[in-house]
Structure formats: structure tokens, C-alpha cells
RNA sequence: GUGGAUGUAGCUCAGUUGGUUAGAGUACCAGAUUGUGGCUCUGGGGGUCGUGGGUUCAAAUCCCAUCAUCCACCCCA
């Protein structure tokens, strides 16, 4: 049987890779403008990091991790997300002793064992940012501003930003109890999944899509009405800052993020029309995370964007124009016995900073011209017996069809001048 | 993990109630133009019909299994 890319993985071929470069460029440039620096962490970590960092009860840890043992029987896991690794690096290098906040961005592959569908892969890519060491609501706003700036930079203005606050451990625990009390009398009416959620993580009943569940718990107490004073004030300032700066969002009582580490601000960005997996990004504040994986008490906030979903949206909404990669000069060789000289000339052109290419399959002169055309060559250099004898080359402008005989010595300056004048 | 749809050339797809050598468009290569591109014309290569079993005189076609893709659920990016 022919070997294919494993389930849920795929190749990014050159044509597609151009789009990735374009997208990464926007992301990195925007993050830099906001004062975020790149960090690169390993793609695998000790399994324990994710168990503690992401949360034992999450779907990611319970059923989606690529976990394996290396030859020394260490349990390692391909990273399912980026925040845990960043936090580990922060602690490992004691960076919390330095200037705060620390503002990082990263981009790279993540791995989750899940059933593939449009916009969902087993190896997928995220761009994310993390800011450690400040609880300021203005930092929350900055992170959201950065997120929106990236979307707009990609020409994606049709997004929906959902916002909520999941409170701090203190007020959330009180709220949790209140919610359980509210649901207790009607728990039999909940769907199967929600029966389990009711016991393990009652907040997640709120974002169940079953209409019957929503009806059963109608008039439920909301998170926002049960925040403590500090959390309420914090959330209010985040919202106000966004409003003051014209960033549209909707407060969403049902938004409860799946990862255990979130506190206070939680958010999700959706782009309608790219399939069922419409969440292109999500994030929030995680003030307890650093401590929970062995560091000092240090607050943090971040988000992650799904890169293939963003490209899906870009393709769907068709708002990019990307130039085809072309070559400045194509070298057409008219006699086989001139290959040595052709190779030297080609190398020389490239050393002089020109993009140049030639045929390697003994094509006829005509076929070489066709190839030059296909590669988008601006100029073709013809090299044949006449040229060699006369110490010159023939240069053809592919657009105007003009041709000149140029001295060997004058060739490079001539080409540079031609290209500069285009 | 659950349910549904679909797998024929690199790509997009035809292929009749099971019947002889599986087709088209496009892409690729060559020639017309032996040293000159886009257009046109002519020719050519390329398929174990996803894979493995079964039914049949005969299977791309019917049955089973398996793998993969897509859609939805779950969940998330």
C-alpha cells in the first residue's frame, strides 16, 4: 500500500506555503509592534506538565494527547497547546525575577488526537501570545487589541468576539455551588453529557447546545451577577477599555472555556461561514497557572489563534492578493556542449543577487522558452555557439520581446539596470 | 468515541440493467517552429478503478471487512 500522510495531517505545498508566510509575517510584525517577543519551546514535554497545566479533567488531557514513552521510559507528550510550555519556560529560567510583564508570542504545530473534519486536524498550527506578571485590566485589553489587529491585518473584519468573566477561585467556587443548587431539582432533565458535566464541571452545562438543557436551567444565576467586587471591577474595566477604543464584542453568559486554568477574563473569536469549527481563536486570563505548575504566584493572560482556520476564512472571504513567485532571469542554453559555461554563468548571476534559473532536462530551445514563460522570467539569456565565439550573450525582454547583444563584462550591470527600471 | 456520505489518471469528473481493450477535460511531455514563450493544431506517456476478501462464466459496477476523505455530534484552534 502506498504511504500517505497520517490521518489528520497534511502537506503544505509551495503554493499554499506562500499563504502561510504571508500570514506569519502579519502575526509576527503585529506582535512585535505590541512589544511581544518570540519564544520557541520544544514540541514535546513531560506528560505531567500538561496534566497539571491544562487540567486532569479536560478533554485534551483525558482523550486527546499524543503520549509516548521514550527509550528511557520517560512519559512524554506532543504539545496539545502552547501556554503550558511557555509557563514552564518562564519558571525554568526564573524570568519572573526580571522585568515584568514578560510578553511572548509563539507559532508552531500542536497535536491533538481527535477526529478530523474541516478546520480540525491532528497536527495543526497555533499562533499565540502570553503576558505574565500583571493583573492590569488594561493588559487584558491590550491582548484583545492585538488579537483584533491581527485579524484585521489579514482582512478578516467579519469576526465575532465573545467575552465573559469566569471569576477568581473564591467567587467561582461560591457561584459553582449556587449553580449546583439551581440545577439539582432539574438534573434529570439534562442530556446525558450534561449529567456528567453536572457532577464534574457544572459551569460547562451553560454552553451545552441542547435546547432542552437550556430550558431546564432557565433563569439560571449568571457568572457576571456573582462575581466578587474585585472581579466585577476588573471585568468592567476590560469592557470599558474595549468600548472606548471601538472594539466590538458581545458579553456571553454561556462562554465557559474548557481549560481548567482560566480566571477572570475569558474570550473566544468566531468567524461564521467556515464550517462547524468556527472558533478561530480563544484565550483568557490564568492567574493561578504559574503557581499550579510549581512557580511563584504570578498572573498571566494570553490567547491562541488556529492558523488553518484563519486561512480557511481568508480563502472563503477572498480578501488577499498574493503575487506569484517569479524569477528575474532564465538562462536558455542552445547547445548541449555549453552546459559547463552555462552553469558558471548561472552561478555568477545568482552570486550577484539576481534570481536565476535554467532547464536541467535537455529541452529544445523552444521548450526552454516555454519553461521560462511558465516560471515568469522577466528576461531570458540565450547562450549558443554565436555568443561564445563573440564573447557576448543575447538578452531578451520577455514582455516587450526586444533583444540585445550584451558583452560578457557588461551583462550584470545591464541586467541590474533593466530590473531597476521596471 | 458516535452517526451519515463518498473513494475511477497529478487535478475535476463520466462510466448504461454486472459484459470484450476503463473514457473526457485539464495538467504534463514531444512535434508542427532542428536558436525564441503565451494562441492554435497533432501525437504521446500516465490507472493493480482506495485496499483485502466474497458472489458470478464475467465485477469499476453487487455483498462484507478495512483504510482514508468529507459532513455532523462531542470538543476545541
Amino acid at each position: 500500500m502506498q504511504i500517505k500522510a497520517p490521518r489528520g495531517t497534511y502537506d503544505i505545498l509551495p503554493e499554499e506555503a506562500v499563504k502561510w508566510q504571508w500570514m506569519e509575517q502579519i502575526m509576527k510584525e503585529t506582535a512585535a509592534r505590541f512589544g511581544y517577543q518570540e519564544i520557541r519551546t520544544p514540541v514535546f514535554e513531560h506528560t505531567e506538565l500538561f496534566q497539571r497545566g491544562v487540567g486532569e479533567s479536560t478533554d485534551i488531557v483525558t482523550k486527546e494527547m499524543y503520549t509516548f514513552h521514550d527509550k528511557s521510559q520517560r512519559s512524554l507528550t506532543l504539545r496539545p497547546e502552547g501556554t503550558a510550555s511557555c509557563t514552564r519556560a518562564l519558571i525554568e529560567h526564573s524570568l519572573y525575577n526580571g522585568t515584568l510583564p514578560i510578553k511572548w508570542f509563539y507559532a508552531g504545530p500542536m497535536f491533538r488526537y481527535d477526529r478530523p473534519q474541516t478546520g480540525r486536524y491532528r497536527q495543526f498550527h497555533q499562533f499565540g501570545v502570553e503576558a505574565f506578571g500583571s493583573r492590569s485590566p488594561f493588559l487584558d485589553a491590550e491582548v484583545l487589541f492585538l488579537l483584533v489587529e491581527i485579524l484585521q491585518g489579514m482582512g478578516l473584519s467579519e469576526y465575532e468576539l465573545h467575552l465573559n468573566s469566569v471569576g477568581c477561585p473564591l467567587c467561582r467556587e461560591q457561584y459553582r455551588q449556587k449553580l449546583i443548587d439551581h440545577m439539582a431539582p432539574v438534573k434529570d432533565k439534562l442530556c446525558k453529557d450534561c449529567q456528567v458535566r453536572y457532577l464534574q464541571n457544572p459551569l460547562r452545562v451553560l454552553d451545552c447546545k441542547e435546547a432542552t438543557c437550556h430550558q431546564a436551567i432557565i433563569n439560571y444565576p449568571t457568572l457576571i451577577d456573582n462575581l466578587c467586587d474585585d472581579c466585577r471591577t476588573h471585568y468592567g474595566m476590560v469592557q470599558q477599555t474595549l468600548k472606548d477604543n471601538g472594539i466590538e464584542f458581545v458579553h456571553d453568559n454561556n462562554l465557559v472555556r474548557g481549560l481548567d486554568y482560566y480566571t477572570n477574563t475569558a474570550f473566544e473569536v468566531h468567524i461564521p461561514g467556515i464550517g462547524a469549527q468556527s472558533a478561530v481563536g480563544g484565550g483568557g486570563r490564568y492567574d493561578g497557572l504559574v503557581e499550579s505548575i510549581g512557580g511563584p504566584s504570578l498572573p498571566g493572560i494570553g490567547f491562541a489563534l488556529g492558523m488553518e482556520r484563519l486561512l480557511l476564512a481568508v480563502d472563503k472571504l477572498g480578501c488577499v492578493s498574493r503575487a506569484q513567485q517569479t524569477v528575474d532571469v532564465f538562462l536558455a542554453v542552445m547547445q548541449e556542449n555549453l552546459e559547463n559555461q552555462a552553469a558558471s554563468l548561472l552561478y555568477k548571476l545568482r552570486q550577484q543577487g539576481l534570481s536565476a534559473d535554467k532547464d536541467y532536462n535537455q529541452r529544445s530551445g523552444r521548450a526552454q522558452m516555454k519553461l521560462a514563460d511558465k516560471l515568469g522570467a522577466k528576461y531570458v539569456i540565450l547562450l549558443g555557439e554565436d555568443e561564445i565565439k563573440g564573447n557576448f550573450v543575447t538578452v531578451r525582454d520577455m514582455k516587450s520581446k526586444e533583444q540585445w547583444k550584451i558583452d560578457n563584462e557588461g551583462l550584470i550591470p545591464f541586467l541590474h539596470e533593466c530590473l531597476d527600471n521596471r
Side-chain angles (χ1 to χ4, degrees):
Chain A
M1 244 268 279
Q2 197 193 88
I3 298 174
K4 295 190 217 161
R7 179 156 215 212
T9 69
Y10 64 101
D11 301 307
I12 300 172
L13 299 175
E15 193 186 342
E16 199 63 19
V18 172
K19 298 181 193 172
W20 282 81
Q21 289 165 0
W22 167 81
M23 170 169 65
E24 286 161 5
Q25 176 68 25
I26 291 170
M27 289 170 163
K28 290 177 181 181
E29 185 273 327
T30 310
R33 199 144 40 86
F34 278 67
Y36 289 71
Q37 293 186 298
E38 183 173 9
I39 178 168
R40 303 192 187 199
T41 63
V43 294
F44 58 84
E45 297 271 2
H46 290 286
T47 302
E48 194 190 348
L49 173 65
F50 300 117
Q51 289 170 337
R52 282 163 61 184
V54 178
E56 292 280 11
S57 72
T58 59
D59 280 18
I60 290 179
V61 171
T62 55
K63 53 187 194 192
E64 294 175 3
M65 293 208 300
Y66 274 97
T67 297
F68 61 97
H69 291 272
D70 70 5
K71 290 186 178 180
S72 308
Q73 295 310 305
R74 282 180 277 256
S75 178
L76 301 171
T77 295
L78 262 32
R79 62 180 183 192
E81 54 99 60
T83 302
S85 300
C86 288
T87 307
R88 192 223 80 228
L90 172 98
I91 295 166
E92 186 164 337
H93 302 286
S94 304
L95 297 171
Y96 44 79
N97 285 329
T99 310
L100 299 176
I102 282 165
K103 304 204 291 184
W104 284 341
F105 76 85
Y106 61 85
M110 305 293 164
F111 306 85
R112 292 185 200 173
Y113 188 89
D114 206 346
R115 187 127 170 207
Q117 78 191 65
T118 315
R120 191 169 72 192
Y121 303 91
R122 290 183 172 181
Q123 176 176 341
F124 62 103
H125 297 78
Q126 287 187 334
F127 170 88
V129 311
E130 315 290 351
F132 296 96
S134 166
R135 239 186 71 84
S136 168
F138 295 104
L139 183 59
D140 298 45
E142 173 182 282
V143 160
L144 285 160
F145 215 138
L146 170 53
L147 169 55
V148 166
E149 193 72 3
I150 287 171
L151 294 178
Q152 288 183 341
M154 293 180 68
L156 299 169
S157 46
E158 303 284 301
Y159 61 86
E160 287 172 13
L161 176 59
H162 288 239
L163 209 60
N164 197 9
S165 172
V166 295
C168 60
L170 286 178
C171 55
R172 183 163 48 191
E173 185 45 41
Q174 283 183 0
Y175 171 72
R176 195 179 120 101
Q177 199 50 54
K178 208 164 172 177
L179 195 61
I180 292 172
D181 295 344
H182 179 82
M183 291 192 287
V186 295
K187 67 179 176 192
D188 296 338
K189 291 182 183 168
L190 299 175
C191 71
K192 254 184 201 161
D193 293 329
C194 283
Q195 303 274 348
V196 179
R197 293 184 185 119
Y198 170 77
L199 297 170
Q200 291 189 341
N201 191 349
L203 302 217
R204 287 221 250 159
V205 175
L206 301 184
D207 66 353
C208 178
K209 280 154 197 132
E210 291 288 334
T212 52
C213 291
H214 280 273
Q215 275 171 352
I217 61 167
I218 199 156
N219 292 327
Y220 62 87
T222 60
L223 269 159
I224 193 171
D225 290 333
N226 289 276
L227 295 176
C228 62
D229 288 348
D230 276 1
C231 288
R232 194 197 332 275
T233 306
H234 190 273
Y235 187 48
M237 288 176 78
V238 174
Q239 288 178 297
Q240 191 58 48
T241 308
L242 295 180
K243 280 180 193 158
D244 288 348
N245 292 283
I247 294 181
E248 288 185 33
F249 65 91
V250 290
H251 167 75
D252 185 347
N253 279 321
N254 298 332
L255 173 58
V256 180
R257 308 228 68 228
L259 283 55
D260 284 357
Y261 52 60
Y262 287 112
T263 58
N264 293 294
T265 315
F267 53 89
E268 233 166 62
V269 197
H270 290 261
I271 295 184
I274 58 168
Q277 309 302 322
S278 65
V280 297
R285 185 163 270 288
Y286 42 84
D287 290 348
L289 178 62
V290 180
E291 198 167 9
S292 81
I293 60 180
S297 172
L298 195 75
I301 179 167
F303 68 73
L305 288 168
M307 297 173 84
E308 11 304 87
R309 289 184 189 177
L310 286 174
L311 284 185
L312 216 55
V314 167
D315 283 345
K316 220 93 180 180
L317 305 171
C319 40
V320 216
S321 63
R322 287 171 300 273
Q324 186 79 35
Q325 190 177 323
T326 60
V327 73
D328 294 330
V329 183
F330 185 90
L331 179 57
V333 186
M334 296 311 181
Q335 273 87 33
E336 238 180 90
N337 60 343
L338 301 178
E339 289 291 343
N340 282 334
Q341 285 137 97
S344 301
L345 176 54
L346 184 65
Y347 187 34
K348 191 170 148 200
L349 291 167
R350 289 167 169 168
Q351 279 182 313
Q352 295 301 318
L354 297 158
S355 66
D357 214 339
K358 74 181 287 296
D359 165 59
Y360 287 103
N361 287 306
Q362 297 88 44
R363 280 171 218 260
S364 66
R366 183 164 160 269
Q368 289 186 68
M369 292 303 288
K370 282 191 172 186
L371 183 57
D373 192 49
K374 200 177 306 172
L375 295 177
K378 299 182 184 81
Y379 296 92
V380 168
I381 293 176
L382 290 117
L383 189 63
E385 294 292 2
D386 296 348
E387 283 82 358
I388 294 296
K389 279 179 195 154
N391 270 331
F392 69 93
V393 293
T394 303
V395 176
R396 179 181 176 85
D397 182 326
M398 290 297 273
K399 202 167 179 184
S400 70
K401 300 184 178 182
E402 284 177 277
Q403 283 190 189
W404 308 273
K405 292 178 178 180
I406 308 294
D407 286 300
N408 288 347
E409 295 72 40
L411 176 63
I412 301 290
F414 177 79
L415 287 171
H416 274 302
E417 199 187 322
C418 287
L419 288 162
D420 288 347
N421 291 337
R422 285 175 78 89

